[in-house]
Amino acid sequence: MKPDLFQAPDYYNLDDLLNDEHKLVRDAAREWVKREVSPIIEDYAQKAEFPKQIINGLAEIGAFGPYIPEEYGGAGLDQISYGLIMQEIERGDSGVRSTASVQSSLVMYPIWKYGNEEQRMKWLPKLASGEFIGCFGLTEPDHGSNPGGMTTNFKDKGDHYLLNGAKMWISNAPFADIAVVWAKDESGRIHGLVVERGMEGFTTPETHNKWSLRASATGELIFDNVKVPKENLLPNKSGLGAPLGCLDSARYGIAWGAIGAAMDCYDTALRYSQERIQFDKPIGATQLQQKKLAEMITEITKAQLLTWRLGVLRNEGRATTAQISMAKRNNVDMAINIAREARQILGGMGITGEYSIMRHMMNLESVITYEGTHDIHLLITGADITGFPAFK
């Protein structure tokens, strides 16, 4: 087991833009990842298994709903702190960050924003502590980039709703205690409902044979005449804008998280280039390797500045969906390109589990697709600047 020697790059002294709380939160998450995630993650990725024993630790570092108010069990932190936690967790593994991101932005966020006080008190404290794990059901087998075309539906049966349909590619599904599910009512309006494990007709089969996010549990949500109590409907927002509001928060976290994966690949490649001797000198002394490394640190620095500014705008309530899309698309693309270049610096060693790079590269192939594909985010920016939606 190799020691975690990670040193975070900060070429433009971005630490000067962070307050003491930001740095304290980030450093606590960083040390936890070094201690609890790095030593085990390669083994769990090889086994294609999520390390459930880290759930309590994720809760302790504030990874579950860090911006949720303390009265509901959250840490009451700002958006930059949230981003920094996601950055550090994804530096460890994108799948682990997915677990935290889903819990925070796709489960706790809608209950907090769209739920009533009774629902908040019932579920948020247990989600914040890690006692409950949640998942988010939006994507369907035939409706990914077009979630508004969903066919999952519920009917009013007087004293309950009857839910039918299916969701797929759902992180945390196999072991989630609750699912925030988006479905159409009899008029075709989209609503969020909280479906609880144990409800008759609700099953969560696991998705196997993944080459990506192998240390994350992925599954389906199947609803076969599931009776959902009426008090489980989230009452304060409906329509497609409700789940998309959750995705704004999650995509923002991904924009930070991708930087963490890129940092890890860069740091690994830099250290390797200084130690690997070929033709009687370190490969880091050659022009071709310096070109790769210089371009990596440049792109990481640009992404750091983009995301920090987005965090400021989020704190001020001024960040737009299109701005978040730009950051998610840019930063994940940046990270996957850095992973590929870093793998080349390591040569054959880059494909082994002795180093994190190939695992990051495979993970990022999912991150660049989920919660808005690379191309869809480009079209969101295009529609925003031209005024012409080109999705159809």
Side-chain angles (χ1 to χ4, degrees):
M1 188 180 298
K2 295 181 67 173
D4 185 342
L5 303 175
F6 174 71
Q7 293 183 22
D10 184 10
Y11 205 71
Y12 262 42
N13 300 328
L14 265 79
D15 265 22
D16 294 349
L17 300 174
L18 305 177
N19 63 35
D20 289 342
E21 182 176 71
H22 295 150
K23 286 182 269 195
L24 187 67
V25 167
R26 180 201 60 197
D27 292 349
R30 183 172 296 166
E31 288 307 310
W32 179 81
V33 167
K34 285 192 173 191
R35 186 177 67 251
E36 303 294 338
V37 177
S38 299
I40 66 168
I41 197 62
E42 299 297 345
D43 184 45
Y44 276 86
Q46 292 283 358
K47 294 189 297 184
E49 182 182 336
F50 175 74
K52 291 183 182 178
Q53 70 271 24
I54 69 171
I55 287 175
N56 287 339
L58 284 166
E60 288 168 7
I61 63 169
F64 296 151
Y67 50 79
I68 299 293
E70 293 181 58
E71 64 192 284
Y72 303 121
L77 299 171
D78 73 354
Q79 290 291 306
I80 290 176
S81 290
Y82 166 51
L84 288 165
I85 293 171
M86 295 301 107
Q87 170 188 283
E88 295 305 315
I89 295 174
E90 189 144 1
R91 204 279 299 177
D93 186 77
S94 299
V96 177
R97 195 270 309 142
S98 289
T99 295
S101 185
V102 167
Q103 183 91 332
S104 297
S105 290
L106 301 184
V107 181
M108 298 179 73
Y109 180 90
I111 292 172
W112 173 44
K113 286 290 189 180
Y114 311 150
N116 57 36
E117 192 65 14
E118 183 180 350
Q119 292 167 336
R120 295 181 193 119
M121 295 307 298
K122 179 179 179 180
W123 287 306
L124 290 179
K126 290 182 177 180
L127 291 162
S129 70
E131 180 182 346
F132 277 11
I133 293 294
C135 64
F136 175 87
L138 180 63
T139 300
E140 296 187 356
D142 295 321
H143 298 93
S145 295
N146 176 29
M150 70 173 66
T151 59
T152 298
N153 66 90
F154 65 96
K155 293 180 169 57
D156 190 332
K157 294 298 182 179
D159 62 343
H160 65 274
Y161 298 119
L162 198 63
L163 178 66
N164 281 283
K167 306 290 184 177
M168 73 182 305
W169 304 122
I170 310 300
S171 295
N172 302 351
F175 56 82
D177 300 284
I178 65 171
V180 174
V181 177
W182 301 93
K184 289 180 176 176
D185 64 14
E186 288 154 291
S187 71
R189 184 77 176 170
I190 293 170
H191 296 266
L193 303 101
V194 178
V195 181
E196 301 172 70
R197 185 167 296 281
M199 289 182 174
E200 188 176 353
F202 175 40
T203 54
T204 59
E206 186 164 1
T207 303
H208 296 289
N209 299 322
K210 297 183 299 176
W211 288 112
S212 182
L213 296 181
R214 288 174 59 82
S216 174
T218 308
E220 300 173 60
L221 304 177
I222 309 295
F223 314 106
D224 182 10
N225 288 322
V226 179
K227 293 181 179 179
V228 180
K230 287 198 166 180
E231 59 265 27
N232 284 27
L233 181 90
L234 300 177
N236 292 332
K237 191 171 177 68
S238 62
L240 188 58
L244 294 184
C246 307
L247 289 172
D248 274 354
S249 181
R251 290 163 176 171
Y252 167 75
I254 291 170
W256 281 92
I259 295 173
M263 288 167 124
D264 197 58
C265 292
Y266 165 78
D267 182 64
T268 301
L270 175 62
R271 188 175 296 107
Y272 189 88
S273 77
Q274 294 165 333
E275 298 170 353
R276 174 67 168 167
I277 307 297
Q278 289 290 281
F279 304 106
D280 302 319
K281 66 179 181 181
I283 62 173
T286 65
Q287 290 184 2
L288 284 175
Q289 305 309 325
Q290 287 192 9
K291 176 182 184 293
K292 290 183 176 73
L293 291 162
E295 288 176 342
M296 286 182 200
I297 190 60
T298 301
E299 293 306 311
I300 288 171
T301 301
K302 286 157 63 176
Q304 288 173 320
L305 289 164
L306 179 71
T307 315
W308 173 82
R309 176 58 184 161
L310 185 61
V312 172
L313 291 172
R314 288 278 290 174
N315 280 338
E316 295 172 351
R318 297 197 293 137
T320 67
T321 294
Q323 288 170 334
I324 294 167
S325 281
M326 177 184 282
K328 192 271 185 182
R329 180 183 182 274
N330 179 82
N331 290 9
V332 181
D333 184 60
M334 171 275 299
I336 204 167
N337 287 329
I338 284 177
R340 289 167 180 160
E341 289 290 275
R343 207 290 302 162
Q344 293 222 38
I345 290 175
L346 267 68
M349 293 304 295
I351 72 165
T352 72
E354 186 175 350
Y355 296 92
S356 61
I357 292 172
M358 195 71 177
R359 175 171 50 81
H360 282 306
M361 192 191 308
M362 292 191 299
N363 286 342
L364 289 164
E365 288 290 351
S366 289
V367 182
I368 205 167
T369 297
Y370 72 20
E371 294 187 32
T373 68
H374 186 69
D375 292 341
I376 287 292
H377 284 298
L378 189 72
L379 294 180
I380 290 171
T381 303
D384 191 52
I385 60 177
T386 66
F388 303 122
F391 300 101
K392 298 179 181 179

